[in-house]
Amino acid sequence: MLDSYAVIGNPISHSKSPLIHTAFSQQTNQSMQYDAILGPLDGFQAAVEKFRQQGGKGLNVTVPFKLEAYRLITHLTERASIAQAVNTLKFENNEILGDNTDGAGLVRDIEWNLDTPIAGKRILLMGAGGAARGVILPLLQQKPSVLVIANRTLHKARALQQQFTSYGNITSGNMMSFSNENFDIIINATSASLQDALPGLPAHVFMDNSLTYDMMYRHEPTPFLKFAQQNGAQRIADGVGMLVEQAAESFFLWRGIRPQTKPVIALLKSQI
Ligand code: NDP
């Protein structure tokens, strides 16, 4: 029997995870299958339990269940514990290990695929939701000179600053607080692009050689990436690389093998 994995979310039909993990398993000759499960909004825990009882080995967890998954686990990795959100579950004996691979995926995409070391850099992270929370610790662990959290609702950015202050040089404000400063790496972790909107960042933050990154992805540059280009940013990237890299990190947790990500990023880009 093949080892069984899946992604669970609601909605789920848009998920690229089955495509990514099927490509990884073929590339590394793993005997496994990977499916998509539509989790009932009022029945996440029961759906996880059913999958586990049927012999499932692990799950990726996506919107809206990342916080609920955090409450199900028996063991947590440090990064999931600090993020207080889980996107990967591993079932072993009677235990459920929870991990959060989003931050590692982002860091790997920026440093390896986009060839941009984080150490010593000034980073602006926009957003204070689940995605931002998951990437703060992995970013700080790379020792940027400063990590600035900017969020539309100021108190949420302040709360994250307080929570992570012992892990590195971190500060916070709203979108206009840093209009006289510029940054080496600017990351959009808001969901503004999902609404076809701009997050409200002033135009002066971009430099010629800044890397501007939007965690969202689609077939053309997001409004935010277009805005960055119009204001001088020459290096832009969307979240496809992060998506594939966080999946590779989950795959490594489950199978102990690191798949090659570049061919899978290219495959995904050709399909979006
Ligand atoms: P959340 O709903 O948890 O948080 C949304 C954040 O966006 C909040 O900080 C909110 O600000 C801000 N926001 C929403 N609309 C606007 C707007 N119009 N202008 C300014 N700020 C706005 O979402 P997530 O953190 O889970 O997801 C954020 C994005 O990251 C999504 O686009 C998601 O697709 C992407 N993502 C990509 C991943 C990848 O692998 N590539 C992985 C995970 C997420 P406020 O607090 O003021 O409401």
Side-chain angles (χ1 to χ4, degrees):
M1 204 172 89
L2 297 177
D3 288 347
S4 177
Y5 300 86
V7 59
I8 182 165
N10 189 329
I12 201 62
S13 58
H14 67 287
S15 174
K16 303 290 178 205
S17 293
L19 176 74
I20 295 170
H21 282 280
T22 301
F24 286 165
S25 63
Q26 285 168 353
Q27 183 200 105
T28 57
N29 292 318
Q30 296 294 294
S31 300
M32 58 181 274
Q33 68 177 56
Y34 189 104
D35 300 302
I37 298 173
L38 180 67
L41 291 175
D42 57 353
F44 172 70
Q45 185 168 352
V48 170
E49 206 41 50
K50 184 176 168 201
F51 180 76
R52 203 172 148 214
Q53 294 303 330
Q54 288 170 343
K57 300 276 185 194
L59 285 171
N60 284 128
V61 180
T62 187
V63 178
F65 299 127
K66 285 186 186 182
L67 293 177
E68 228 177 306
Y70 180 74
R71 295 193 283 269
L72 273 187
I73 43 78
T74 57
H75 288 75
L76 271 180
T77 59
E78 186 198 20
R79 59 194 181 187
S81 161
I82 292 167
Q84 294 174 6
V86 156
N87 75 342
T88 306
L89 300 175
K90 180 179 179 182
F91 307 123
E92 226 166 26
N93 306 320
N94 282 329
E95 292 175 352
I96 305 178
L97 174 70
D99 196 2
N100 187 319
T101 64
D102 281 340
L106 175 69
V107 166
R108 215 174 150 81
D109 195 33
I110 290 175
E111 293 212 312
W112 288 77
N113 300 332
L114 301 166
D115 207 13
T116 307
I118 292 171
K121 298 286 172 57
R122 291 174 51 75
I123 304 184
L124 176 63
L125 176 66
M126 287 180 291
R133 174 179 283 281
V135 302
I136 294 173
L137 179 68
L139 285 171
L140 287 174
Q141 285 173 331
Q142 306 310 310
K143 309 251 180 277
S145 68
V146 65
L147 175 62
V148 171
I149 316 274
N151 194 50
R152 182 175 63 179
T153 309
L154 179 62
H155 74 86
K156 292 188 195 166
R158 291 274 193 257
L160 286 179
Q161 178 189 352
Q162 267 179 2
Q163 188 190 337
F164 288 93
T165 195
S166 60
Y167 297 97
N169 186 17
I170 181 167
T171 181
S172 63
N174 61 29
M175 295 296 176
M176 296 308 287
S177 303
F178 308 96
S179 53
N180 293 325
E181 300 183 38
N182 43 42
F183 295 88
D184 302 298
I185 303 173
I186 298 151
I187 302 165
N188 185 10
T190 75
S191 50
S193 296
L194 287 174
Q195 310 142 22
D196 244 342
L198 287 170
L201 194 68
H204 309 291
V205 297
F206 304 102
M207 298 186 288
D208 287 359
N209 56 354
S210 302
L211 171 64
T212 306
Y213 196 102
D214 197 330
M215 286 193 188
M216 207 195 123
Y217 51 85
R218 58 186 203 181
H219 63 281
E220 56 171 7
T222 63
F224 174 65
L225 292 180
K226 286 184 189 159
F227 174 73
Q229 278 180 318
Q230 284 155 8
N231 289 288
Q234 289 169 17
R235 301 179 61 220
I236 60 167
D238 67 21
V240 170
M242 174 181 174
L243 180 71
V244 174
E245 294 294 348
Q246 62 80 25
E249 196 73 15
S250 299
F251 192 87
F252 178 69
L253 182 79
W254 293 328
R255 311 298 298 183
I257 296 173
R258 283 200 184 279
Q260 284 182 31
T261 48
K262 282 197 172 154
V264 182
I265 291 171
L267 171 72
L268 214 59
K269 284 194 168 162
S270 72
Q271 301 214 357
I272 288 173

